[in-house]
Amino acid sequence: MNDYKTTWREKIGYGVGAVGLDLSYGMFYSFLSYYLSSVLGLKEGFLLLLTPLARIWDGINDPLMGTIVDNTKTKMGKYRPWIIIGAISNAAVLFLLFTSFGMSGTKLYIYIGVMYILWGMTNTMADIPYWSMVPSFTSDPSDRNMVSTVARTFSGLGQGIITVATPIILPMLSTGMTTDKGYSASGFSRWAGICAVLLVLFSTICVLSTKEKHVVYNNKTKFSLKKIFSVIAHNDQLIVFMVFAMLSNAGWYLTSGTAVYYFSDVLEQPKAQSLFQTIGAVGSVFGLLVIPILSKWLSKKKIYQISLIATIVGYIMMYIFGPVLKITIALDIAYIISSTGIASMFVAQTIFLADIVDYGEYKTGERNESITFSMKGFLQKMAYTIQTIFLFGGLGLMNYNEQITSAAKTINDSTKGAIGFICFGVPPILILCSLIVFTKKFKLHGELADKVHSYIVEKRAEDDNA
């Protein structure tokens, strides 16, 4: 069998697509909560209710989209058409989600609820086919590792642009009524519009730069929840992956989503978040080198464990230097350690999921790439739900909304302490739980991984000969 290899042009072109996706992704997961609660003044109870309800629909919508992608067969392939359709749709919804058109009261709550759910649906349209493409590029483990690393590098770049630039750009774009930190609804709307345009541009570059070299087309099947449950039930490693990835991702989302509260309301230095995220980006660059370097001596399992342990150690240091001792410079430096581990963790998870697709085919003889990869998007949304429960549950208990809407607009020390704990104290607990699940239950490495790879290579050779 010709074990297809990707060119660097394809790797870079593919990675560029991740920048656009993560501009939208970063705005949603890192700044939407603050926009809704602190700028629009929506109640915490509404957000606590909205997120789980959206996840119920995602539980149907995400695998439904996976089935649609698996049934797609065009001259462009089965992934790239949906990437561009999803990007255009998600760009439009992103802009609308961050544009309130002066609405208030019940109309605003209904409008935000609809846009919130539509964002999840349109993001799924682009995200599932994008990440599902990884196994179609190559079956070679080292090349697959590199494709995943490049994609995650650009993904981190997209997140970095959002987290670093937003605190600086928002006050520049904001007009009219602003918060005491210089943010306004108009600023969020304009910045979301810019990100939306870039999302479409980068996705187009991705589609034009890549080619689906070896795609497995299944017989057209109707969407069936029974089928989805069957795919999951017969892939034990997918179930394990969903648990440990959801826990670790939730820890990370807590920091990315709560950091704006910590720097704006606790430290009262919103622009300091840019330096914090810039330093974190340095750690992310280091993290992207972890797998390519350490894979020469260590297994993927050991590398992943080291990544999570480094993340936990970094978080403990951040909590001590941040909320406890309030030494901001030391907090920033400790963030390098955590962000290094997190970046390596995300690359490894992408590789694991591609391997899990192969494992499912090895076990059942049937390949379900997009349905399997739809679980990635769903678990990320579940991780965001965990973030929402901790964040808005905590803010609700501390009466955050009443404090920011009072005449004094001051946050009391108890609320500041709660924000610090949610941002830096809860994440290492969740990531430790993730490490335990991974170590005890994930078996797709070593001899089993070799068997799966040999099976896939031999089967592709038979398909090519046929």
Side-chain angles (χ1 to χ4, degrees):
M1 171 190 177
N2 178 16
D3 206 3
Y4 299 102
K5 297 291 184 69
T6 55
T7 65
W8 273 102
R9 177 180 178 275
E10 290 173 308
K11 290 184 178 75
I12 298 299
Y14 179 63
V16 167
V19 178
L21 289 174
D22 274 82
L23 291 177
S24 176
Y25 197 80
M27 284 296 292
F28 186 90
Y29 286 102
S30 295
F31 289 96
L32 180 64
S33 296
Y34 188 83
Y35 168 72
L36 297 180
S37 64
S38 298
V39 177
L40 297 187
L42 300 188
K43 299 293 185 181
E44 296 93 344
F46 167 74
L47 301 171
L48 271 174
L49 178 63
L50 174 62
T51 305
L53 288 177
R55 293 302 80 81
I56 294 173
W57 169 239
D58 287 333
I60 299 174
N61 176 67
D62 287 14
L64 171 60
M65 190 65 219
T67 302
I68 293 172
V69 172
D70 272 335
N71 286 339
T72 299
K73 186 175 183 179
T74 71
K75 292 181 179 180
M76 289 178 64
K78 70 179 187 179
Y79 304 116
R80 293 184 298 157
W82 284 111
I83 291 175
I84 198 67
I85 293 171
I88 294 172
S89 302
N90 191 236
V93 175
L94 177 69
F95 173 71
L96 293 173
L97 179 61
F98 282 92
T99 306
S100 63
F101 299 104
M103 286 185 282
S104 61
T106 303
K107 286 184 179 180
L108 179 60
Y109 280 93
I110 294 173
Y111 174 78
I112 291 298
V114 171
M115 289 301 124
Y116 185 99
I117 293 174
L118 285 177
W119 184 92
M121 293 176 64
T122 54
N123 175 259
T124 293
M125 291 172 63
D127 189 71
I128 288 176
Y130 179 82
W131 292 106
S132 296
M133 285 180 68
V134 174
S136 76
F137 289 138
T138 178
S139 295
D140 180 77
S142 60
D143 196 34
R144 184 177 285 182
N145 288 356
M146 186 56 67
V147 171
S148 299
T149 299
V150 171
R152 278 299 176 186
T153 301
F154 280 89
S155 175
L157 176 61
Q159 284 276 356
I161 291 172
I162 291 298
T163 54
V164 173
T166 299
I168 297 174
I169 291 178
L170 272 181
M172 297 169 58
L173 297 177
S174 294
T175 57
M177 185 178 296
T178 63
T179 68
D180 57 341
K181 309 302 185 299
Y183 298 162
S184 75
S186 63
F188 272 102
S189 177
R190 291 163 182 165
W191 182 223
I194 293 171
C195 292
V197 172
L198 293 175
L199 166 58
V200 175
L201 174 63
F202 292 146
S203 296
T204 302
I205 293 173
C206 170
V207 167
L208 295 177
S209 303
T210 56
K211 182 179 180 181
E212 299 168 30
K213 294 182 178 179
H214 191 91
V215 183
V216 177
Y217 290 106
N218 298 325
N219 294 326
K220 295 231 176 211
T221 57
K222 294 182 179 179
F223 172 73
S224 166
L225 285 175
K226 182 178 179 180
K227 168 70 173 177
I228 304 304
F229 289 130
S230 176
V231 170
I232 298 173
H234 287 89
N235 195 327
D236 55 291
Q237 294 304 288
L238 175 59
I239 297 173
V240 173
F241 173 85
M242 290 176 64
V243 174
F244 73 72
M246 182 174 62
L247 288 169
S248 58
N249 289 7
W252 174 247
Y253 292 159
L254 270 173
T255 301
S256 62
T258 312
V260 62
Y261 292 89
Y262 182 77
F263 286 96
S264 297
D265 295 328
V266 178
L267 297 185
E268 298 183 354
Q269 301 174 29
K271 291 186 178 180
Q273 184 181 355
S274 294
L275 176 60
F276 176 75
Q277 299 293 358
T278 301
I279 291 175
V282 174
S284 296
V285 173
F286 293 153
L288 296 168
L289 301 175
V290 169
I291 292 179
I293 293 175
L294 293 187
S295 60
K296 298 177 182 178
W297 301 284
L298 300 174
S299 66
K300 285 186 286 188
K301 178 182 179 180
K302 291 293 184 183
I303 296 172
Y304 191 73
Q305 289 171 323
I306 290 171
S307 299
L308 293 189
I309 291 171
T311 303
I312 293 168
V313 170
Y315 263 112
I316 293 173
M317 294 173 63
M318 282 196 290
Y319 183 69
I320 293 173
F321 291 129
V324 177
L325 299 180
K326 295 181 174 58
I327 306 175
T328 306
I329 295 299
L331 166 69
D332 292 344
I333 294 173
Y335 189 39
I336 294 179
I337 300 173
S338 283
S339 57
T340 298
I342 287 292
S344 176
M345 178 193 80
F346 279 132
V347 173
Q349 287 180 1
T350 303
I351 297 169
F352 286 149
L353 202 50
D355 292 342
I356 288 169
V357 171
D358 290 344
Y359 175 73
E361 185 175 5
Y362 168 79
K363 281 197 70 177
T364 67
E366 184 177 352
R367 193 168 183 84
N368 295 284
E369 289 170 329
S370 297
I371 291 177
T372 302
F373 269 88
S374 74
M375 294 299 103
K376 171 184 172 292
F378 182 66
L379 74 86
Q380 287 177 323
K381 292 170 185 174
M382 287 300 297
Y384 178 69
T385 301
I386 296 174
Q387 177 220 60
T388 301
I389 292 172
F390 276 105
L391 177 57
F392 288 114
L395 294 180
L397 289 173
M398 304 306 294
N399 296 315
Y400 171 84
N401 192 266
E402 294 180 11
Q403 294 175 53
I404 64 169
T405 56
S406 66
K409 293 186 178 181
T410 57
I411 308 298
N412 61 45
D413 291 339
S414 296
T415 302
K416 290 180 179 180
I419 291 173
F421 182 70
I422 292 170
C423 191
F424 302 115
V426 176
I429 298 173
L430 294 174
I431 295 170
L432 176 60
C433 294
S434 173
L435 174 61
I436 293 171
V437 173
F438 171 79
T439 301
K440 290 184 175 294
K441 297 296 183 180
F442 195 66
K443 308 298 181 185
L444 196 50
H445 50 81
E447 183 179 350
L448 178 58
D450 292 339
K451 286 182 178 180
V452 171
H453 179 252
S454 297
Y455 170 83
I456 294 298
V457 170
E458 292 173 5
K459 188 172 182 182
R460 294 295 173 271
E462 292 174 1
D463 293 342
D464 289 345
N465 292 332

